[in-house]
């Protein structure tokens, strides 16, 4: 147990500091401070020792150098039970510092605000980060408080223990300090390395949500990040690991249909229903019709407000999660009547530019597939030209294929997913799966379109598609045998377009 006799307090944000100051005053702790923090403490009638009194040196270079001095860092770092350190401390008249309360300049907030480069550079903390590391290193003797998020806990700790701390306390706060400092340095590195000139990946996320379990009940799971920045949960049970994976898949897909009223239903990250229509009610009805069996227990998402009319239909289905940009009061009242349903309001678009996954003892990182095939990408390679309606259907189907596990084939018509073959080891198997599924739900494929996430190595897929009435095809192209598929389409009056963009998804 270590008694606190002196404390260095130097913080950027003073919110919540007063209870700690009062506690230090009550226990007659010597307070050392500087600059704005010193003035703040003095305004509250507390006695303060200026840092300059210990260093015999003024704050210089516009405040860039204030605490960087042996009399400060010596008072923190010297080992209380080390005879040599004790002798040097006495020789150089270094005063002990038992408690360090410091926070850091808001570097990340400054970057996010769009500030100038010069302003951002000035928010790189030097003295604060050095004090945090020094105090955390000497946790055997010094307690470090490195964030205002810790103030409440510190007040409770010091109140309960009479302004003392145990080794376990100091070690815990040291770990928190290194969490703060490493995260801060990561943010600075990523700012300077925005173009990726320096090899290496730095990922730091301090917000953790423990999940019920991972992908399966015997696996532990957690989410790291600020989910509320994108999705606001209105009601329902806690989101599971699998819920979150499927929610991301559903939101990413529905965002493809900007400017249209769209509805998607996802199961195990693959779409089992997708539709666009003039109303959200019609879009939902068409999406559900694609596969009402798989929709049971699925994830639902729309880019349009959920009104009472569509809510009454959705209410009939058992589903895990519903995501929408907004809900009418009447719809929300109805849907909330079942308390375990997870209702989510999407408050921002997905903003990730990169994706990362751990494997083989390392990290695999790539740019997110943010390419959406557009009409300007289409190159007609057949004699037959797709009609305007077919072009709309081709682009619709391509968006779904982009978000479906490879190998995939998507069959669609009139803004509706008819069926898809997903995650197959051959493209032919994916097509057979899609055809069988469409037929099982009574869809007529005649006049429909087919989308593939990658090129056709042989003409077999267009041959099979022709046999069930598919009239137009969209694919990336790029096979050495592209001409075989083109020749078959020409012979049978089918149109085909190449996009030049593959959309594998594993």
């Amino acid at each position: 147990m270590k008694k606190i006799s002196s404390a260095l307090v130097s913080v950027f944000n003073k919110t919540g500091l007063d209870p700690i100051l009062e506690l230090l005053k009550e226990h007659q702790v010597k307070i050392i401070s500087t600059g704005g923090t010193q003035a703040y403490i003095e305004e509250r009638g507390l006695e303060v020792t200026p840092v300059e009194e210990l260093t015999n040196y003024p704050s210089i270079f516009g405040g860039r150098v204030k605490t960087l001095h042996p009399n400060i860092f010596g008072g923190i770092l010297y080992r209380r039970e080390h005879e040599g350190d004790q002798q040097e401390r006495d020789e150089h008249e270094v005063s002990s510092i038992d408690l360090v309360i410091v926070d850091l300049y808001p570097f990340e907030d400054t970057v996010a605000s769009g500030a100038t480069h010069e302003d951002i550079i000035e928010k790189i903390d030097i003295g604060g980060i050095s004090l945090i590391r020094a105090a955390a290193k000497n946790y055997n003797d010094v307690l470090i408080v490195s964030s205002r998020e810790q103030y409440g806990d510190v007040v409770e700790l010091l109140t309960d223990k009479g302004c003392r701390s145990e080794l376990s306390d100091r070690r815990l706060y040291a770990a928190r300090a290194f969490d703060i400092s490493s995260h801060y340095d990561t943010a600075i590195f990523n700012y300077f390395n925005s173009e990726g000139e320096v090899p290496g990946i730095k990922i730091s996320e301090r917000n953790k949500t423990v999940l019920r379990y991972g992908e399966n009940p015997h696996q532990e799971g957690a989410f790291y990040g600020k989910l509320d920045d994108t999705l606001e949960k209105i009601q329902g049970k806690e989101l599971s690991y699998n819920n979150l994976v499927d929610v991301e898949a559903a939101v990413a897909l529905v965002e493809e249909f900007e400017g249209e009223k769209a509805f998607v239903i996802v199961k195990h990250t693959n779409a089992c229903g997708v539709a666009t229509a003039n109303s959200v009610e019609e879009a939902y009805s068409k999406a559900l019709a694609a596969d009402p069996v798989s929709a049971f227990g699925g994830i639902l998402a729309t880019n349009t407000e959920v009104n009472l009319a569509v809510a009454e239909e959705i209410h009939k289905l058992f589903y895990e999660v519903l995501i929408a940009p907004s809900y009418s009061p009447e719809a929300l009242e109805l849907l909330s009547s079942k308390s375990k349903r997870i209702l989510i309001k999407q408050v921002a678009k997905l903003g990730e530019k990169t994706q990362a996954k751990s494997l083989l003892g390392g990290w695999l990182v790539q740019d997110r597939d943010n390419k959406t095939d557009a009409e300007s990408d289409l190159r007609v390679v057949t004699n037959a030209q797709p009609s305007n309606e077919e072009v709309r259907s081709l682009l619709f189907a391509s968006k779904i294929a982009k978000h479906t596990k490879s190998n995939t084939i998507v069959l669609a018509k009139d803004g509706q997913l008819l069926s898809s073959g997903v995650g197959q080891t051959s493209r032919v198997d994916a097509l057979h799966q899609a055809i069988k599924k469409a037929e099982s739900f009574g869809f007529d494929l005649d006049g429909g379109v087919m989308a593939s996430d990658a090129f056709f190595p042989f003409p077999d897929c267009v041959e099979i598609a022709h046999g069930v009435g598919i009239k137009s095809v969209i694919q990336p192209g790029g096979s050495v045998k592209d001409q075989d598929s083109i020749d078959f389409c020409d012979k049978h009056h089918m149109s085909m377009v190449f996009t030049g963009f593959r959309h594998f998804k594993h």
Side-chain angles (χ1 to χ4, degrees):
M1 188 79 79
K2 296 277 185 177
K3 185 179 188 303
I4 296 172
S5 300
S6 60
L8 172 62
V9 184
S10 180
V11 296
F12 182 84
N13 191 319
K14 283 80 175 173
T15 305
L17 186 61
D18 289 11
I20 297 180
L21 296 176
E22 290 298 326
L23 191 61
L24 297 179
K25 178 183 177 181
E26 178 186 338
H27 288 274
Q28 299 179 328
V29 175
K30 177 182 178 181
I31 300 176
I32 305 160
S33 192
T34 182
T37 307
Q38 177 186 338
Y40 179 87
I41 298 172
E42 289 173 338
E43 287 171 3
R44 277 144 186 79
L46 278 72
E47 186 176 341
V48 186
T49 300
V51 163
E52 292 82 0
E53 193 173 301
L54 274 66
T55 64
N56 295 314
Y57 217 91
S59 172
I60 58 176
F61 308 130
R64 282 190 166 197
V65 179
K66 291 181 286 190
T67 57
L68 296 169
H69 193 280
N71 283 354
I72 299 299
F73 282 85
I76 295 169
L77 283 165
Y78 89 90
R79 292 160 289 185
R80 275 59 166 174
E81 297 173 6
H82 188 281
E83 186 176 344
D85 284 9
Q86 287 276 13
Q87 290 174 353
E88 286 189 80
R89 188 202 75 146
D90 295 340
E91 178 184 348
H92 297 289
E93 299 180 342
V94 174
S95 299
S96 300
I97 297 175
D98 308 312
L99 168 65
V100 175
I101 303 175
V102 179
D103 67 359
L104 300 173
Y105 292 157
F107 178 82
E108 289 180 279
D109 291 344
T110 305
V111 173
S113 72
T116 65
H117 178 70
E118 291 73 18
D119 287 341
I120 290 170
I121 296 303
E122 288 306 312
K123 288 299 184 288
I124 297 177
D125 208 310
I126 302 300
I129 201 80
S130 302
L131 291 167
I132 286 173
R133 290 179 64 85
K137 177 177 180 176
N138 198 24
Y139 71 90
N140 192 63
D141 299 305
V142 180
L143 178 65
I144 172 63
V145 180
S146 52
S147 168
R148 61 189 174 95
E149 298 168 358
Q150 301 165 13
Y151 290 175
D153 291 342
V154 170
V155 168
E156 184 177 344
L157 169 69
L158 299 184
T159 300
D160 291 346
K161 298 183 179 180
C163 216
R164 291 173 170 81
S165 66
E166 296 182 54
L167 181 61
S168 58
D169 301 322
R170 297 190 296 276
R171 185 182 176 91
L172 172 62
Y173 278 83
R176 291 174 175 173
F178 285 122
D179 176 36
I180 294 282
S181 65
S182 63
H183 179 81
Y184 196 75
D185 284 340
T186 295
I188 295 170
F189 169 77
N190 287 334
Y191 173 75
F192 276 90
N193 197 43
S194 59
E195 300 300 320
E197 302 96 330
V198 181
I201 176 174
K202 302 284 192 298
I203 300 173
S204 178
E205 181 51 66
R206 299 183 58 245
N207 296 279
K208 178 182 179 181
T209 302
V210 177
L211 305 176
R212 296 198 302 273
Y213 49 79
E215 203 162 7
N216 299 291
H218 62 276
Q219 297 169 266
E220 293 184 359
F223 175 80
Y224 292 86
K226 298 178 181 178
L227 192 61
D228 291 346
D229 288 352
T230 306
L231 303 172
E232 176 189 321
K233 194 177 85 168
I234 298 172
Q235 76 143 46
K237 61 185 179 182
E238 292 302 313
L239 286 158
S240 70
Y241 181 100
N242 293 330
N243 286 157
L244 289 170
V245 173
D246 283 341
V247 164
E248 202 271 348
V251 171
L253 177 54
V254 83
E255 285 185 354
E256 295 281 358
F257 300 97
E258 188 171 0
E260 302 177 87
K261 290 181 171 65
F263 211 105
V264 308
I265 304 172
V266 165
K267 198 75 170 287
H268 297 296
T269 75
N270 294 306
C272 58
V274 184
T276 57
N278 293 325
S279 68
V280 66
E281 306 95 277
E282 184 185 359
Y284 170 70
S285 177
K286 290 168 65 176
L288 180 63
D291 186 351
V293 175
S294 296
F296 182 86
I299 308 296
L300 283 57
T302 181
N303 58 5
T304 307
E305 180 174 273
V306 172
N307 57 32
L308 180 59
V310 72
E312 288 174 337
E313 295 303 313
I314 294 172
H315 191 60
K316 300 173 184 176
L317 178 72
F318 170 74
Y319 59 90
E320 287 281 330
V321 184
L322 173 61
I323 309 126
S326 59
Y327 300 80
S328 73
E330 300 82 6
L332 193 57
E333 182 180 1
L334 174 63
L335 296 171
S336 300
S337 62
K338 295 187 178 180
S339 60
K340 290 187 178 181
R341 280 178 173 165
I342 303 172
L343 303 179
I344 291 175
K345 177 181 177 181
Q346 185 176 355
V347 295
K349 290 187 176 182
L350 299 177
E352 296 92 339
K353 294 181 180 179
T354 58
Q355 293 175 310
K357 65 166 66 175
S358 60
L359 52 78
L360 299 174
W363 290 90
L364 198 60
V365 181
Q366 68 169 352
D367 293 338
R368 192 182 184 91
D369 186 1
N370 287 324
K371 171 61 184 173
T372 299
D373 295 333
E375 189 169 354
S376 58
D377 298 317
L378 306 185
R379 179 167 65 92
V380 180
V381 294
T382 51
N383 294 329
Q385 295 280 328
S387 67
N388 290 337
E389 182 55 41
E390 285 173 338
V391 167
R392 284 191 289 271
S393 292
L394 289 169
L395 293 175
F396 171 86
S398 175
K399 292 173 181 177
I400 301 170
K402 169 185 167 182
H403 292 272
T404 305
K405 290 284 187 181
S406 301
N407 289 306
T408 185
I409 292 290
V410 171
L411 305 178
K413 183 167 61 175
D414 299 330
Q416 181 182 25
L417 170 65
L418 302 181
S419 64
S420 59
V422 302
Q424 298 301 302
T425 52
S426 81
R427 208 154 296 282
V428 170
D429 285 346
L431 177 54
H432 281 309
Q433 182 189 51
I435 291 170
K436 182 178 179 180
K437 189 171 184 178
E439 290 174 346
S440 71
F441 289 110
F443 286 111
D444 181 5
L445 295 175
D446 189 46
V449 303
M450 175 172 70
S452 175
D453 59 331
F455 64 63
F456 298 118
F458 304 102
D460 43 12
C461 280
V462 291
E463 293 169 1
I464 297 167
H466 169 70
V468 295
I470 295 298
K471 299 300 183 186
S472 194
V473 179
I474 185 170
Q475 58 139 319
S479 169
V480 295
K481 293 188 176 183
D482 275 345
Q483 194 60 48
D484 292 349
S485 294
I486 294 170
D487 290 343
F488 181 89
C489 288
D490 283 340
K491 184 177 179 180
H492 295 86
H493 311 292
M494 295 172 67
S495 62
M496 183 160 62
V497 298
F498 288 178
T499 64
F501 295 94
R502 189 183 74 184
H503 294 291
F504 270 166
K505 187 167 185 278
H506 292 98

